[in-house]
Amino acid sequence: MLDIEADAPLSPADAAHAGRLLALAHSLGIDPLDLDEAVHDAASQYASCASNSSDRDDEDGSSDELHDEAGRQAADINNHGLDKQVAYLVAQSGHKETERIIRQVGGMKQAVPASTDPDEIAELRGVFCDGYAADDINRVFGVIEDVYGQRLVCRWELFDEEWYRGNSEFYFEDGDAYYYDAGIYSWLSGAPDAPVDLGNPSQWRGKRVPDSDAEGPQHAATDDGMHNVALANTE
């Protein structure tokens, strides 16, 4: 049975290199998807060496089987994130080649434009990282509606002393129907895993809010006529 990691234990020196290169990858904004191909290439090369050193006849498909198995194991390494990927590349390709790969991938990422969204949309990424109030909601959701024609609302827990307060959630509004948010909040809050681009916000529209959801915006007691609603009004 092929094991693409069988010959790849890290020496103390290589482990130190792997730690340094992992930090480099993080600093360059590299994510696991960026190293998928490099891991598969290293695994394929390992399978080729194993096939060439085998005395089995290739006519029985053993070479193809080795490469298929190498591909499956490489996918497992990729699924375990950067730590596993970098360590595997150092073990298979050496720290110098691994550093070259990381810097090359990092350079390509730096060359990609920060965003392809319209300027007025691009500048909104992370705008709610420090929180938001009703006025912020109206300003930001107003821009999104102007650019994309997609209406959003923020449902607050209550309206009290002329302020929207308490827990809040974002929803998509389409006529009389509301839909759960599946990404707008993360993007506006600047979550680390949020994409660079917002793109058409309709792609982040989740399932329709059922009427049985008592905290849905359709059960709001009050609204400001713009993008804020509240379930309770204590005025």
Side-chain angles (χ1 to χ4, degrees):
M1 178 68 176
L2 179 73
D3 181 357
I4 64 174
E5 297 183 87
D7 301 331
L10 288 179
S11 67
D14 281 341
H17 284 303
R20 175 179 63 83
L21 294 174
L22 179 62
L24 175 64
H26 283 303
S27 72
L28 293 175
I30 292 174
D31 60 48
L33 286 176
D34 298 322
L35 295 182
D36 271 13
E37 185 176 351
V39 170
H40 275 283
D41 287 346
S44 179
Q45 184 176 4
Y46 184 89
S48 295
C49 292
S51 177
N52 291 337
S53 63
S54 173
D55 57 3
R56 291 178 294 181
D57 190 344
D58 277 350
E59 290 182 359
D60 66 2
S62 61
S63 178
D64 289 341
E65 292 172 2
L66 287 174
H67 280 85
D68 288 345
E69 180 59 27
R72 284 190 288 271
Q73 293 183 31
D76 184 63
I77 290 172
N78 285 329
N79 288 337
H80 281 81
L82 280 176
D83 295 44
K84 190 80 168 177
Q85 290 174 311
V86 171
Y88 179 71
L89 290 173
V90 169
Q92 290 294 339
S93 305
H95 67 88
K96 290 184 179 180
E97 175 63 11
T98 302
E99 181 166 353
R100 184 195 67 78
I101 292 170
I102 289 173
R103 290 192 180 278
Q104 181 182 46
V105 172
M108 292 171 61
K109 289 180 73 70
Q110 297 300 317
V112 175
S115 174
T116 58
D117 283 332
D119 290 344
E120 60 267 48
I121 294 295
E123 67 183 13
L124 296 180
R125 189 184 190 280
V127 69
F128 291 161
C129 64
D130 295 322
Y132 51 86
D135 289 344
D136 302 315
I137 290 292
N138 284 333
R139 176 177 62 84
V140 172
F141 284 9
V143 172
I144 293 174
E145 185 172 12
D146 288 344
V147 173
Y148 289 111
Q150 176 64 66
R151 183 167 176 78
L152 298 165
V153 298
C154 179
R155 189 273 300 145
W156 299 83
E157 188 175 357
L158 57 89
F159 181 75
D160 178 50
E161 297 180 355
E162 299 185 357
W163 288 94
Y164 285 88
R165 303 174 182 273
N167 294 331
S168 61
E169 298 285 346
F170 296 172
Y171 296 85
F172 288 78
E173 181 180 352
D174 187 357
D176 294 330
Y178 292 93
Y179 298 82
Y180 294 109
D181 168 40
I184 292 289
Y185 174 82
S186 293
W187 190 82
L188 290 173
S189 299
D193 58 346
V196 172
D197 291 319
L198 173 64
N200 192 322
S202 62
Q203 67 181 307
W204 306 114
R205 191 166 81 172
K207 294 181 179 180
R208 182 167 179 170
V209 180
D211 194 59
S212 58
D213 185 347
E215 295 187 348
Q218 69 271 30
H219 298 297
T222 186
D223 65 76
D224 65 358
M226 299 178 70
H227 299 277
N228 293 282
V229 304
L231 293 175
N233 184 356
T234 63
E235 289 290 283

